[in-house]
Amino acid sequence: MTSPTPISSRRWLTPLVVVLVIAAGAAVAWWQLRPVATPLDAFAAWRMANPTLTAEQQQQAKTEFDQSLAALRANPDDFSSWMTLGSAKLTVKDYEGAVAIFEYAGKIRPLNSMSANNLGHLYATFLGRNDAAVAAYRRAIVNSADEPR
């Protein structure tokens, strides 16, 4: 026959359970409330690299950029806003940023021809990457086969 456990040895059990429940609740709350990076965050930096633009042109490009960011925060699947965002980066000569955006647009809409065409233009005209330009132009041609124009 076993003797009952003394009450003094069970006193620690209730506080331990309470602490564990509170810790688990805090962990769940932290997990749900933590900031989650989105693809948009990677492209949200603005870098003016075109000193030949007038102040008005710079402001117009920045306005288009900011409006596209706002539209994409509301709807990350808005292809037109992705293209406008990339074009704004191209205007201010942020070529690497524009390439990243047009590549991302090609991933979310793999059958579009516009982002591939823009990549081909960037690679050939501004970055001197002719092999990449040819590949992008070929993809644009294949993707444009079903387009009306």
Side-chain angles (χ1 to χ4, degrees), residues 38-49:
T38 66
L40 185 59
D41 295 334
F43 308 122
W46 178 253
R47 184 172 63 94
M48 174 58 65

Side-chain angles (χ1 to χ4, degrees), residues 22-75:
I22 290 172
V28 168
W30 172 83
W31 182 257
Q32 290 178 343
L33 297 176
R34 77 191 188 293
V36 177
T38 66
L40 185 59
D41 295 334
F43 308 122
W46 178 253
R47 184 172 63 94
M48 174 58 65
N50 188 349
T52 63
L53 293 178
T54 66
E56 183 179 323
Q57 290 170 323
Q58 289 179 17
Q59 184 56 46
Q60 181 180 355
K62 179 69 167 127
T63 299
E64 287 178 5
F65 183 82
D66 290 342
Q67 288 172 347
S68 296
L69 275 179
L72 288 167
R73 290 194 199 295
N75 178 12

